[in-house]
Amino acid sequence: KAQAVIMSAGELEDEIAGRPAKLIRERYRKAADMSKARGVLTCLVINDLDAGVGNFRETQNTVNSQMVVGTLMNLCDDPKRVSVGQDWRGKDVIRRVPIIITANDLNTIYAPLLRDGRMEKYNWKPSRKDIFEMVYTMFRDDDVSPEEVQYVIDSFPNQGLDFFGALKARMADSEVRMRMEAYDGKVEGYEGTPLPKGPPGYLRLLMKDLRDGENREGDSIKIEVSLEKLLEEGKSLAQEQEYVNQIRLAGEYLKNNDDE
């Protein structure tokens, strides 16, 4: 089983020039040391690289973004000699470690980094079977049959996996909202002054659990998942997406009118 050293796009910028590039080299060497010491396959994973060093309209490149790209190109060209600031030593050879990046739009990344020989590119497009297996795994602990999961997937055929992940979260969100609205201010086993009713008191109840280091309220929440509720929340999510698209379209129209 491979072990990964993980970075995010948020670590690719810093107030000190050069620090993100050095961090990449340090993480790379760490992965190489892990492979040597533990005898297992390791890799460096950088999530959402395009968000950190991509070139977008009306944005400005920084020294750090340039140095990050340069560092990655150097690691691709000479992966066994990686300096992190110490004196150069010709015999300082480390193990080669795969670098795996994820991105939403590779077109925004500096083109020479993408050329063949430096980067192997994969466009992951899950099949219907893959989508079913992953979505069913999300709801495996709920009272939902495989047939019902497939029906939900077929009801929203143009949605990605993130949609069904948000749908899973909506099940818990709706239950918590109901409990917040119906909260009567009482605390089990507590004889003091009742808390305020509704959301303000419910939030104070959660803070009390946090202060006491307990999760009484969270443990008492039973999330009910049914086909009807999944379809209802799914339609609500789809309507929100449509609303966002309409607002964006309206913004484009208004921009054109302003230009006139």
Side-chain angles (χ1 to χ4, degrees):
K1 184 177 180 180
Q3 297 182 358
V5 176
I6 301 176
M7 294 186 64
S8 71
E11 297 177 280
L12 301 182
E13 189 54 71
D14 193 274
E15 61 184 3
I16 300 178
R19 181 177 288 176
K22 183 179 180 182
L23 180 61
I24 291 176
R25 297 193 298 271
E26 290 174 346
R27 297 280 177 87
Y28 184 89
R29 288 191 66 105
K30 179 177 178 61
D33 292 341
M34 288 170 55
S35 176
K36 181 178 179 180
R38 303 178 185 179
V40 297
L41 178 64
T42 60
C43 63
L44 173 63
V45 178
I46 306 177
N47 289 315
D48 300 314
L49 180 68
D50 56 330
V53 299
N55 295 314
F56 299 94
R57 186 177 61 181
E58 299 179 356
T59 60
Q60 182 178 1
N61 280 339
T62 66
V63 173
N64 278 325
S65 63
Q66 296 173 349
M67 295 185 70
V68 164
V69 170
T71 295
L72 291 174
M73 292 174 62
N74 179 256
L75 288 175
C76 294
D77 297 339
D78 195 1
K80 294 185 178 181
R81 297 180 183 273
V82 182
S83 171
V84 291
Q86 75 274 19
D87 294 336
W88 178 258
R89 291 174 294 176
K91 296 183 179 180
D92 184 20
V93 179
I94 64 175
R95 290 195 176 190
R96 182 174 183 172
V97 175
I99 302 176
I100 301 173
I101 70 166
T102 64
N104 291 300
D105 188 359
L106 288 176
N107 292 321
T108 65
I109 298 176
Y110 186 56
L113 179 60
L114 306 179
R115 74 167 175 79
D116 295 339
R118 282 201 178 109
M119 182 183 294
E120 293 288 339
K121 294 163 284 293
Y122 302 93
N123 181 24
W124 182 64
K125 187 175 182 181
S127 64
R128 286 178 57 85
K129 181 180 178 182
D130 293 333
I131 293 175
F132 168 77
E133 291 177 347
M134 286 180 280
V135 175
Y136 181 66
T137 299
M138 297 180 190
F139 296 96
R140 183 170 51 192
D141 297 332
D142 302 308
D143 189 19
V144 183
S145 67
E147 292 76 15
E148 290 174 329
V149 171
Q150 186 64 60
Y151 186 82
V152 172
I153 295 173
D154 294 338
S155 299
F156 306 99
N158 298 321
Q159 299 292 349
L161 287 172
D162 56 340
F163 175 87
F164 298 102
L167 183 57
K168 170 71 173 178
R170 275 290 187 98
M171 298 293 101
D173 293 345
S174 60
E175 183 67 26
V176 171
R177 289 193 190 97
M178 292 174 55
R179 293 175 72 94
M180 289 177 66
E181 295 296 336
Y183 182 62
D184 59 4
K186 297 180 180 179
V187 181
E188 184 178 353
Y190 179 63
E191 302 295 337
T193 304
L195 297 176
K197 295 182 180 180
Y202 191 80
L203 292 176
R204 289 178 60 178
L205 176 64
L206 296 180
M207 291 301 296
K208 185 178 185 304
D209 277 358
L210 182 62
R211 184 174 61 251
D212 296 341
E214 299 181 359
N215 191 32
R216 290 169 295 193
E217 177 61 19
D219 292 339
S220 66
I221 297 177
K222 303 300 181 184
I223 302 174
E224 296 183 5
V225 179
S226 64
L227 177 61
E228 293 75 15
K229 196 171 182 180
L230 286 170
L231 293 175
E232 178 184 352
E233 294 293 346
K235 291 177 182 177
S236 176
L237 274 175
Q239 289 174 354
E240 289 181 6
Q241 291 178 344
E242 182 63 26
Y243 176 73
V244 170
N245 290 333
Q246 289 176 356
I247 293 298
R248 184 179 303 168
L249 184 60
E252 290 295 325
Y253 284 139
L254 291 174
K255 180 186 72 175
N256 294 333
N257 290 336
D258 291 340
D259 294 340
E260 295 175 359

